[in-house]
Amino acid sequence: AEVFCDSVVQMRNEFKVDGIDLDVEDGSSNPALQTHLLKSCREKLGPDFLITYTLPALSCSFEPWLSTLADGHQYLDFINVMTYDMHGAWDGYADHHAALNARPGDPKLNVNYAMNAWAKQGAAKHKLIVGIPFYGRTSVLRNANNHQPGSSAGAEKEGFAGEFTEEKGFLSYFEICQR
């Protein structure tokens, strides 16, 4: 933790950055070590340097992150929640990847549920930030007549790539606007 925080101090001084975001994709990380890291960085960088933490929208178990948030939230300015990619080609059907609210048959994979779940689990509401995707996902439907989002819209694979993103199943916001 000390070496990492010292390198962040060096980066701040050299590049004049005003903050750092710690993106934790895997909840199996050591919560005590993460809390120590947050505390060390806050002490070395001071109150005017932004320290943010990025978490997945939903998790099979909130426990690993909650242990860090319970002790470490005081060192954070914001908690970014990745409220996107909740659905995609990996599901085998076409659906909204960042639905705002629940729909019949899909009560949990939506922004509203995710943000409320983190708040109910103890994350400070005034620090929670919704991640907004400025991109979309595409799929190739098995049957063009079954196109309502959800499990009835069976998809064979990722859809077409964008002209600029060049990634199958992925379009940037401006590519969507051009269509």
Side-chain angles (χ1 to χ4, degrees):
E2 301 304 318
V3 173
F4 176 79
C5 295
D6 287 340
S7 69
V8 174
V9 169
Q10 189 175 11
M11 180 185 68
R12 177 196 62 190
N13 295 340
E14 184 176 342
F15 299 106
K16 308 299 182 218
V17 297
D18 62 357
I20 187 169
D21 178 56
L22 303 171
D23 186 337
V24 183
E25 302 278 337
D26 180 6
S28 65
S29 301
N30 183 327
L33 182 59
Q34 288 183 44
T35 301
H36 176 68
L37 176 75
L38 295 172
K39 181 180 181 197
S40 296
C41 284
R42 178 54 71 207
E43 289 171 351
K44 288 179 182 278
L45 295 160
D48 296 330
F49 190 83
L50 287 175
I51 300 176
T52 64
Y53 199 69
T54 298
L55 301 167
L58 300 169
S59 173
C60 296
S61 170
F62 287 98
E63 292 305 316
W65 288 284
L66 290 177
S67 298
T68 300
L69 290 178
D71 298 327
H73 73 91
Q74 62 190 322
Y75 308 114
L76 296 169
D77 294 292
F78 302 111
I79 301 165
N80 302 304
V81 183
M82 296 181 279
T83 50
Y84 42 82
D85 287 345
M86 291 187 251
H87 285 292
W90 51 86
D91 290 328
Y93 56 89
D95 207 340
H96 297 290
H97 76 100
L100 185 58
N101 292 304
R103 295 189 324 270
D106 194 4
K108 293 184 179 181
L109 293 178
N110 63 79
V111 174
N112 187 35
Y113 180 87
M115 296 306 285
N116 281 311
W118 277 114
K120 285 177 186 172
Q121 293 295 325
K125 285 184 180 181
H126 70 282
K127 292 184 179 186
L128 288 172
I129 296 179
V130 173
I132 301 173
F134 287 98
Y135 63 91
R137 297 259 174 214
T138 65
S139 299
V140 175
L141 297 175
R142 286 189 198 107
N143 180 341
N145 293 321
N146 294 336
H147 52 79
Q148 288 296 319
S151 59
S152 66
E156 295 178 1
K157 59 183 176 179
E158 299 156 324
F160 52 88
E163 178 184 351
F164 296 95
T165 55
E166 299 180 347
E167 181 181 329
K168 284 186 175 185
F170 182 85
L171 293 175
S172 67
Y173 176 73
F174 72 89
E175 289 172 316
I176 294 169
C177 291
Q178 290 174 343
R179 294 191 173 266

